[in-house]
Amino acid sequence: MVHPFTISVDPAILKNLQDRLASTRWPDQVDNEQWQAGTNEAYLQQLCTYWQHDFDWKKQQDYLNTFSHFKATIDNYGLHFIHQKGEGNQSIPLLMTHGWPDSFVRFLKIIPLLTKADENGLSFDVIVPSIPGHGFSDIPTETGMNNKQIASLFAKLMTDELGYTKFMAHGGDAGSEITEQIALYHADSLLGIHLTDIPYHHIIVTDETKLGRNEKKYKEDVTQWQQTEGAYNAVQSTKPQTLAYGLNDSPAGLAAWIIEKFYAWSDCDGDLESCFTKDELVTNITIYWVTQTINSSFRRYRETMTDMMQEMFNPLQKLNPFDKTGTKPNVPTAVAQFQTDLLPPQDFANQFFSIHQWNKMPKGGHFAAMEQPDLLADDIRAFVRTLKVATP
């Protein structure tokens, strides 16, 4: 069952947020001007001051509500999503899945670019769900909401609830993992998939003796990245509950944890606001705060780690969530490689995806739809035009 949804936050929650920001207890800082030890204190103080005194949630809430929001009950789970219809005479359904630590706001800039008709009348019906445990989707109350289960919910949303027999799917970050699971288990419903990341578990679980020189170099790069940038992943995939107590209680702590990733993963060259406005950053953080979903957003990491350990150490168990590992879905796949993302060699990715298009972008980072929405929209359109369904 699908029904319209309007974002509305209790003013008491916003007042409590301002009070907590005002009483922030700041730590010391040594040698961190370039964010080398984590979030820079001066910038975080500036952002939190803006959040407390100048940020207008009501204005942002009104903007968010200009999009068509809905909630669907699927398998007794409440799933929030945007469903924005295309303007063209041929409009292709496109499921777009966000990642972490962003939210459905990742796609707000690109939605109007995709729903607009091109010179041939081609547009997209854009569907942007909030991953379970994120934003305004329900918080799962049991374990087991892994990427495979999320993929099943999204596929049912598209086919059973919205009535699309075939659709395109795009994902970045966690969205790439979920999109891959849709391709593995719901290929009959897909026209094609478009990714900005290749799920990293492939290189981790692949026997190193089977890797070529370029693949080994990529695995070394991934290992180095994990050692220098991956501490968040280690915590969120093993002991997320411990971290959640602090971040669910401190808005400054929550902001620090989230914006450090926007700083490190975007193509901002040391200037965060060259890619994102304060309003964009704070709107995303506020959604995590008012919905109290930072902990539930972490749990997907733990689910993924549990599944990866199953794949690596007990792959023959019947309930293995990666029981199609090694299966290459026959779904046309496009990859857009943005500047700051670490992707494997194309030949390695082609072992797991039917790569039809692989383009390296001249600029942009991990949050491509927010940083370079025009480039990403053009790449999606270019890919869809190569598919027979896209011929007007």
Side-chain angles (χ1 to χ4, degrees):
M1 176 181 292
V2 174
H3 58 85
F5 178 79
T6 301
I7 298 172
S8 180
V9 176
D10 186 342
I13 295 175
L14 301 174
K15 175 60 169 61
N16 177 262
L17 168 61
Q18 289 185 322
D19 292 343
R20 287 171 179 264
L21 285 167
S23 60
T24 299
R25 192 169 66 166
W26 296 97
D28 67 327
Q29 176 177 266
V30 176
D31 190 26
N32 192 37
E33 287 73 19
Q34 304 301 316
W35 298 58
Q36 62 269 34
T39 302
N40 175 267
E41 185 174 54
Y43 182 78
L44 181 62
Q45 288 178 334
Q46 180 188 103
L47 188 69
C48 286
T49 297
Y50 180 81
W51 195 5
Q52 179 187 355
H53 296 291
D54 301 310
F55 178 67
D56 187 345
W57 169 254
K58 178 63 165 59
K59 178 181 177 180
Q60 296 304 317
Q61 181 173 272
D62 289 346
Y63 167 62
L64 296 176
N65 282 325
T66 63
F67 295 88
S68 299
H69 294 262
F70 299 88
K71 285 198 83 169
T73 302
I74 305 172
D75 295 341
N76 296 315
Y77 177 81
L79 186 69
H80 162 260
F81 64 98
I82 290 174
H83 187 193
Q84 210 73 20
K85 294 290 189 71
E87 301 171 359
N89 53 38
Q90 182 190 16
S91 204
I92 296 173
L94 173 61
L95 174 73
M96 306 191 82
T97 305
H98 65 83
W100 185 93
D102 55 281
S103 60
F104 68 89
V105 301
R106 171 188 279 235
F107 297 117
L108 298 185
K109 289 180 180 177
I110 201 172
I111 289 174
L113 301 178
L114 293 169
T115 55
K116 183 179 180 181
D118 68 8
E119 64 276 9
N120 295 314
L122 174 67
S123 65
F124 296 87
D125 289 354
V126 180
I127 298 89
V128 180
S130 292
I131 294 174
H134 292 65
F136 299 100
S137 284
D138 288 358
I139 294 175
T141 57
E142 299 178 346
T143 59
M145 187 62 79
N146 57 17
N147 292 326
K148 181 179 175 182
Q149 179 61 30
I150 296 168
S152 176
L153 288 175
F154 287 4
K156 289 178 180 179
L157 169 69
M158 296 297 289
T159 57
D160 297 351
E161 300 298 329
L162 300 182
Y164 295 116
T165 56
K166 295 275 190 176
F167 60 92
M168 294 288 302
H170 162 85
D173 191 81
S176 68
E177 301 173 27
I178 294 165
T179 300
E180 179 183 23
Q181 295 296 302
I182 298 174
L184 283 170
Y185 295 97
H186 308 277
D188 289 346
S189 297
L190 286 171
L191 300 167
I193 62 174
H194 186 281
L195 307 173
T196 55
D197 303 279
I198 300 297
Y200 75 93
H201 78 269
H202 288 299
I203 194 67
I204 292 176
V205 304
T206 299
D207 184 346
E208 190 157 349
T209 63
K210 298 180 180 180
L211 299 178
R213 181 171 58 86
N214 291 336
E215 287 81 7
K216 288 181 179 178
K217 175 61 168 61
Y218 170 65
K219 188 167 187 176
E220 290 172 1
D221 291 342
V222 169
T223 300
Q224 181 180 7
W225 187 90
Q226 288 178 317
Q227 292 298 315
T228 56
E229 294 288 340
Y232 80 98
N233 195 331
V235 175
Q236 292 175 192
S237 61
T238 56
K239 305 296 182 184
Q241 189 71 34
T242 304
L243 177 62
Y245 293 114
L247 301 193
N248 195 63
D249 190 60
S250 167
L254 178 67
W257 195 256
I258 288 177
I259 66 165
E260 192 252 307
K261 300 311 170 196
F262 278 83
Y263 179 90
W265 298 349
S266 66
D267 190 18
C268 72
D269 195 26
D271 179 8
L272 187 58
E273 292 182 25
S274 68
C275 287
F276 316 100
T277 66
K278 281 188 174 70
D279 278 342
E280 288 175 321
L281 294 169
V282 175
T283 295
N284 183 63
I285 299 165
T286 303
I287 289 172
Y288 276 92
W289 179 263
V290 300
T291 58
Q292 296 194 61
T293 50
I294 192 61
N295 191 26
S296 53
S297 77
F298 290 165
R299 284 201 290 269
R300 194 200 61 84
Y301 280 80
R302 194 165 190 273
E303 296 281 0
T304 300
M305 181 60 71
T306 300
D307 293 348
M308 193 182 306
M309 293 299 99
Q310 175 70 39
E311 179 182 10
M312 294 175 69
F313 300 115
N314 195 14
L316 299 181
Q317 184 173 323
K318 290 182 179 180
L319 295 179
N320 179 13
F322 283 109
D323 55 14
K324 285 198 175 185
T325 294
T327 302
K328 181 177 176 178
N330 188 28
V331 176
T333 302
V335 177
Q337 182 174 0
F338 285 83
Q339 289 291 306
T340 63
D341 269 344
L342 185 61
L343 268 68
Q346 184 176 341
D347 287 346
F348 179 79
N350 205 45
Q351 297 177 45
F352 309 99
F353 298 93
S354 300
I355 307 293
H356 286 218
Q357 174 179 296
W358 185 294
N359 289 327
K360 292 187 176 181
M361 299 293 114
K363 54 186 176 180
H366 189 71
F367 306 97
M370 297 178 75
E371 298 177 57
Q372 299 295 335
D374 292 280
L375 284 178
L376 182 57
D378 288 347
D379 200 70
I380 293 172
R381 284 185 180 273
F383 174 52
V384 170
R385 290 189 190 105
T386 69
L387 306 177
K388 292 181 68 173
V389 66
T391 304

